[in-house]
Amino acid sequence: MNTLLHESFCKSSNAVQARPLLTRFPLFRTREIDQAREEVARVFCRHGLRVTGNQHSLECQHNRVSLGRMSLNFLVYGADVDIDPGCLESFYLAQIPIAGSAQIRSGAEAVLSDTRTAVILSPHRQTRMHWLGDCAQLLLRIPRDLIEEQDGETPGATRGPLDFKLAVSQERGPSAFWCRSIVDLAFNIESHGCEWMDYGAALASLEDFLLRGFLNFPKRDGDSSGPQRGSQAGAMPRYVHRAVDFIDANLGEPLKISDIARAACVGVRALEEGFRRHYDTTPSAFLRDRRLQHARHLLVQAARNGSPASVTEVAYRNGFFHLGRFSALYRERFGESPAATLRRA
């Protein structure tokens, strides 16, 4: 997404009216408070909803696209509203304002959320919100069981919900890149649709990217989840070999890091530590590099054989859902564009 376009969208007070997002996937639009409450509850949870400003300014619009087991939502109320969902219970929610602001309280924490500050709502914390009328947000709904599957130290392990800090920056650090990626994704869906979702590897790659980034967000004091780093490399353990063999045998399949960990008979965090020690990278980056190599192999073979091939299809089949990002990674890795490889005889 063009950064200047994003900034101008976020700063403009009438940007919501000018350009809502995910319009290819409309869920509802209404001026009735009861309908807004009922329809939003179908996607998230039962909640209190009350207009605190001009009743006649309410114009709620909700667009939603499914991303596997997650969903990406665009939501605007058009009026000042109080929202009281209590505990979310069954899901986490990342709220990324792209215009306006909202006051969020979760447990003992409170924050003003705006285009500089997103929030992460944990399922077991009591939450109350006040959205101003100019507030428009992208909301990523992530089922709690999906997070717990990803975070399990051993296959099949479960524990209580992770307890994330409420505020995350949209301006700096890893959280800023993750938030920008969500906004970029929404703009790309708005402009180009979701053809890549027909390719299981591309959808799984997106899901895994979103989950791994989410799990790296800071936790509240007392939550020690996360990889425990050591200092000695030692001999490469068999589970790393099993993981590499599984990756190489399933490059075109819808892989998530939890799938690789399960095939290697080890937990996700142990797998990440093994790859850090022995490859100086993450399982996600290793999988991406192997898929880049496989994509190049397919393009070279097509060029040599004169067989029809599409850069778009090769990218999607190898788990790359963003064509611009695929081309940039490919050029960085091989020194030429995918199209240039395909043109070579």
Side-chain angles (χ1 to χ4, degrees):
M1 180 189 62
N2 184 296
T3 301
L4 292 176
L5 176 61
H6 179 206
E7 290 177 352
S8 64
F9 178 82
C10 292
K11 292 176 181 177
S12 172
S13 62
N14 63 354
V16 174
Q17 291 78 9
R19 188 170 186 183
L21 295 176
L22 308 180
T23 57
R24 295 169 184 254
F25 302 90
L27 200 60
F28 74 90
R29 188 168 188 164
T30 185
R31 291 181 176 274
E32 300 296 329
I33 187 68
D34 291 337
Q35 183 183 1
R37 183 188 304 109
E38 180 179 343
E39 295 291 346
V40 171
R42 293 181 192 276
V43 174
F44 299 114
C45 61
R46 294 180 63 85
H47 60 282
L49 179 65
R50 182 173 65 91
V51 177
T52 61
N54 182 357
Q55 299 280 339
H56 300 292
S57 65
L58 180 75
E59 187 171 350
C60 183
Q61 182 176 0
H62 188 173
N63 303 327
R64 175 182 180 272
V65 59
S66 294
L67 303 173
R69 291 162 64 183
M70 296 183 285
S71 70
L72 181 60
N73 302 261
F74 171 86
L75 182 60
V76 60
Y77 286 98
D80 293 2
V81 293
D82 283 337
I83 308 169
D84 184 5
C87 293
L88 305 183
E89 299 290 353
S90 63
F91 62 95
Y92 292 83
L93 191 66
Q95 296 193 161
I96 304 172
I98 55 176
S101 61
Q103 297 168 334
I104 312 294
R105 176 173 291 279
S106 181
E109 289 186 277
V111 67
L112 177 66
S113 180
D114 54 20
T115 57
R116 295 167 296 181
T117 305
V119 299
I120 304 297
L121 302 182
S122 298
H124 61 299
R125 294 276 180 179
Q126 288 281 341
T127 299
R128 295 185 63 122
M129 299 178 280
H130 179 72
W131 287 30
L132 297 182
D134 62 350
C135 184
Q137 302 213 38
L138 289 172
L139 312 174
L140 185 68
R141 184 189 189 280
I142 309 177
R144 174 175 168 175
D145 58 359
L146 184 58
I147 290 293
E148 291 174 354
E149 287 172 15
Q150 287 285 313
D151 186 60
E153 176 62 36
T154 57
T158 59
R159 63 185 184 87
L162 295 180
D163 198 6
F164 291 93
K165 289 185 176 179
L166 180 61
V168 296
S169 175
Q170 292 202 66
E171 294 186 311
R172 61 183 63 87
S175 62
F177 174 77
W178 190 88
C179 290
R180 284 196 299 269
S181 297
I182 299 290
V183 178
D184 183 35
L185 175 63
F187 269 91
N188 274 280
I189 291 173
E190 180 67 22
S191 298
H192 306 295
C194 294
E195 179 187 355
W196 50 267
M197 285 208 297
D198 294 333
Y199 296 82
L203 182 57
S205 179
L206 171 63
E207 182 179 271
D208 209 52
F209 165 77
L210 295 175
L211 288 173
R212 301 317 301 166
F214 187 86
L215 285 167
N216 284 328
F217 285 159
K219 316 298 189 303
R220 298 178 198 251
D221 292 341
D223 192 326
S224 61
S225 60
Q228 302 299 312
R229 298 183 180 272
S231 59
Q232 301 299 320
M236 185 179 293
R238 293 182 63 183
Y239 71 81
V240 175
H241 286 292
R242 287 195 296 267
V244 171
D245 290 343
F246 180 74
I247 287 171
D248 287 340
N250 294 277
L251 291 173
E253 298 302 317
L255 295 183
K256 297 189 288 293
I257 300 306
S258 58
D259 299 324
I260 299 171
R262 192 174 302 112
C265 302
V266 71
V268 169
R269 292 198 294 278
L271 182 71
E272 291 175 332
E273 180 62 13
F275 271 77
R276 187 197 67 81
R277 287 185 179 183
H278 299 284
Y279 285 103
D280 193 27
T281 190
T282 64
S284 296
F286 186 92
L287 172 61
R288 183 182 63 202
D289 188 68
R290 284 292 213 258
R291 283 175 160 169
L292 280 171
Q293 294 179 45
H294 187 238
R296 181 173 178 80
H297 169 75
L298 294 177
L299 292 172
V300 168
Q301 289 295 107
R304 288 175 178 173
N305 300 335
S307 57
S310 160
V311 171
T312 297
E313 183 171 355
V314 168
Y316 289 165
R317 288 194 181 281
N318 282 277
F320 295 94
F321 55 89
H322 191 299
L323 294 179
R325 179 66 172 156
F326 169 68
S327 294
L329 290 169
Y330 190 97
R331 184 184 293 276
E332 180 182 345
R333 180 71 168 79
F334 303 113
E336 64 181 8
S337 69
T341 301
L342 190 57
R343 285 195 298 267
R344 288 194 291 108

